[in-house]
């Protein structure tokens, strides 16, 4: 029988699979972006190239299997299926919070997926708040060494912790600890939210502390206050969580804000991404990589083949979008003028 942190990880997965855990009346904001069809694309569909790079590695598509889970029996199956598929498709892949890897001997293999994904960028993950609860550069480096990760990302989840029974609530003076980790680790350190978004002001503080890239993880997808509400045994917290069912910064607004503040700093966009067209919109407004999480989760409970099929569809949707505007490469997509943002066409500026 699973206990503690391992039990919590299983409950997170099951709620995300079976319950409505999205924010109420909250979207990514990407519906305000549309592409201007090009009836004369003047490219061969078969020549469309999705290749890009991340963390110094070439990847076949600008996609990331976002951090989801680890530390439970169900998570082991999910992560192995995701890893096999990511390696086959050439996507980057992130691990769920690896705190369980150091604190529990149970299900360590759920984090040790490097053998299934030997060549793609692999990102380990730990809650930033743990730097105020005894974790530091040494523990982060141990996680990197155990997993063979190319990077570690610090996740920020204050609202989730506030709703979670027994959540870690001391987020005071984290920046000096983050700066120390960034200086001492042998791999790049990233920063991500868990679904409520990072804006430009916060991103700049994190970058100034030494963070190498930002994953905005904006609102419009899974709401972790809603997930923790379903788990909570505290009637007061369950009731209070309802007031936050539409909390967060839409993913599109996060992208625009962070891009404005940090310019060329690598930017990952996750949070409510469902299709290749969603990804195309995010890339067009400034993203370098697009993360998919719950969109892949159900397939990952089935088989690596099911995950590959879902990835195939996402890639096809991206290619069809690019074909529809005449963009042969990711760079051409990112620089296209054939896009309308909140009713304003970039073509009108030519």
């Amino acid at each position: 029988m699973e206990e503690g942190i391992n039990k919590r990880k299983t409950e997170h997965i099951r709620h995300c699979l079976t319950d409505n855990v999205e924010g109420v009346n909250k979207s990514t904001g990407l519906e305000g972006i549309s592409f201007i069809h090009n009836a004369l694309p003047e490219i061969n569909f078969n020549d469309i190239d999705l290749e890009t790079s991340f963390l110094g590695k070439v990847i076949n598509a600008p996609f990331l299997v976002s951090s989801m889970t680890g530390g439970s029996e169900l998570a082991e199956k999910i992560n192995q299926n995701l890893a096999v598929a990511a390696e086959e498709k050439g996507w980057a892949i992130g691990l769920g919070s690896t705190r369980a890897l150091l604190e529990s001997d149970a299900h360590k293999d759920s984090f040790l997926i490097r053998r299934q994904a030997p060549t793609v960028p692999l990102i380990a993950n730990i809650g930033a708040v743990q730097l105020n609860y005894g974790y530091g550069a040494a523990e982060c480096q141990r996680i990197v060494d155990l997993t063979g990760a190319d990077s570690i990302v610090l996740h920020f989840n204050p609202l989730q912790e506030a709703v979670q029974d027994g959540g870690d609530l001391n987020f005071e003076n984290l920046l000096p600890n983050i700066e120390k980790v960034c200086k001492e680790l042998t791999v790049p350190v990233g920063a991500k939210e868990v679904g409520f978004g990072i804006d430009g002001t916060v991103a700049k503080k994190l970058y100034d502390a030494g963070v190498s890239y930002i994953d905005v993880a904006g609102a419009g997808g899974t709401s972790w206050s809603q997930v923790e509400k379903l788990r909570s045994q505290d009637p007061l917290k369950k009731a209070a969580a309802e007031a936050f069912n539409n909390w967060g910064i839409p993913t599109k607004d996060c992208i625009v804000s962070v891009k404005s503040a940090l310019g060329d700093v690598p930017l990952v966009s996750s949070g409510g991404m469902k299709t290749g067209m969603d990804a195309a919109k995010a890339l067009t407004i400034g993203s370098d990589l697009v993360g998919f999480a719950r969109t892949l989760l159900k397939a990952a409970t089935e088989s690596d083949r099911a995950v590959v099929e879902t990835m195939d569809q996402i890639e096809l949707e991206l290619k069809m979008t690019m074909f529809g505007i005449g963009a042969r490469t990711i760079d051409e997509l990112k620089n296209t003028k054939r896009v309308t943002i909140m009713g304003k066409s970039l073509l009108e500026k030519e």
Side-chain angles (χ1 to χ4, degrees):
M1 184 174 181
E2 292 185 316
E3 297 180 357
I5 194 168
N6 307 106
K7 180 174 181 288
R8 184 168 79 242
K9 298 303 180 184
T10 298
E11 291 175 350
H12 284 164
I13 296 167
R14 296 200 184 281
H15 283 306
C16 287
L17 284 169
T18 62
D19 295 290
N20 182 6
V21 293
E22 292 194 352
V24 177
N25 297 322
K26 178 65 72 172
S27 79
T28 62
L30 293 171
E31 68 278 1
I33 300 171
S34 59
F35 291 99
I36 301 168
H37 176 64
N38 186 351
L40 185 61
E42 294 191 278
I43 61 173
N44 184 334
F45 183 90
N46 294 323
D47 290 337
I48 293 174
D49 184 2
L50 302 184
E51 186 178 278
T52 188
S53 62
F54 186 64
L55 298 177
K57 290 187 174 183
V58 174
I59 51 178
N60 293 342
F63 295 138
L64 166 70
V65 178
S66 288
S67 303
M68 280 184 269
T69 190
S72 72
E73 183 177 355
L74 181 54
E76 186 170 338
K77 173 185 176 183
I78 288 170
N79 280 350
Q80 288 179 356
N81 286 337
L82 290 170
V84 169
E87 180 69 20
E88 179 174 329
K89 296 300 296 178
W91 289 28
I93 182 169
L95 295 168
S97 175
T98 50
R99 176 182 166 195
L101 178 62
L102 299 188
E103 296 188 3
S104 170
D105 288 331
H107 312 299
K108 284 191 174 183
D109 282 349
S110 65
F111 297 107
L112 305 181
I113 62 170
R114 186 47 110 179
R115 57 185 173 271
Q116 284 90 16
T119 68
V120 295
L122 174 62
I123 304 171
N125 171 20
I126 189 73
V129 74
Q130 297 310 315
L131 300 181
N132 279 350
Y133 287 86
Y135 275 63
E139 288 75 18
C140 291
Q141 186 65 52
R142 186 176 171 216
I143 288 167
V144 169
D145 293 341
L146 285 170
T147 60
D150 299 288
S151 170
I152 190 167
V153 69
L154 304 175
H155 74 253
F156 296 79
N157 62 336
L159 191 59
Q160 179 187 5
E161 296 286 356
V163 178
Q164 182 175 291
D165 292 346
D168 295 321
L169 303 177
N170 181 18
F171 278 72
E172 188 175 13
N173 294 324
L174 269 179
L175 275 174
N177 292 331
I178 292 168
E179 186 171 5
K180 191 170 188 295
V181 168
C182 292
K183 284 181 178 177
E184 295 186 14
L185 253 62
T186 60
V187 297
V189 177
K192 76 182 297 291
E193 236 283 346
V194 299
F196 298 110
I198 292 177
D199 65 17
T201 299
V202 171
K204 177 90 168 44
K205 289 180 181 179
L206 292 168
Y207 179 70
D208 289 345
V211 163
S212 297
Y213 60 91
I214 302 292
D215 181 345
V216 298
T222 302
S223 166
W224 282 93
S225 64
Q226 296 302 289
V227 175
E228 296 297 352
K229 177 194 73 175
L230 293 169
R231 289 188 61 251
S232 180
Q233 301 300 309
D234 184 334
L236 181 60
K237 284 190 174 182
K238 289 176 81 74
E242 279 302 298
F244 295 88
N245 62 19
N246 67 348
W247 186 267
I249 310 167
T251 299
K252 185 265 293 180
D253 294 346
C254 292
I255 299 168
V256 172
S257 180
V258 174
K259 191 68 178 175
S260 175
L262 293 180
D264 293 332
V265 173
L267 179 59
V268 182
S269 296
S270 61
M273 297 295 174
K274 294 182 172 64
T275 69
M277 187 180 290
D278 289 340
K281 291 176 179 181
L283 291 162
T284 299
I285 61 173
S287 300
D288 298 296
L289 208 64
V290 178
F292 289 86
R294 198 152 58 94
T295 299
L296 303 173
L297 182 58
K298 184 177 185 301
T301 65
E302 299 169 4
S303 67
D304 56 84
R305 291 299 90 199
V307 179
V308 168
E309 289 175 4
T310 304
M311 290 174 163
D312 283 340
Q313 180 174 333
I314 291 168
E315 288 189 5
L316 178 59
E317 290 162 350
L318 176 57
K319 285 185 175 181
M320 289 173 67
T321 304
M322 293 169 67
F323 193 50
I325 61 173
R328 194 186 68 81
T329 66
I330 296 300
D331 280 344
E332 289 181 10
L333 171 64
K334 292 171 75 171
N335 289 289
T336 186
K337 295 293 191 292
R338 302 197 70 86
V339 62
T340 298
I341 302 174
M342 301 302 290
K344 296 182 179 180
S345 169
L346 296 188
L347 281 177
E348 296 173 359
K349 297 181 180 181
E350 291 188 335

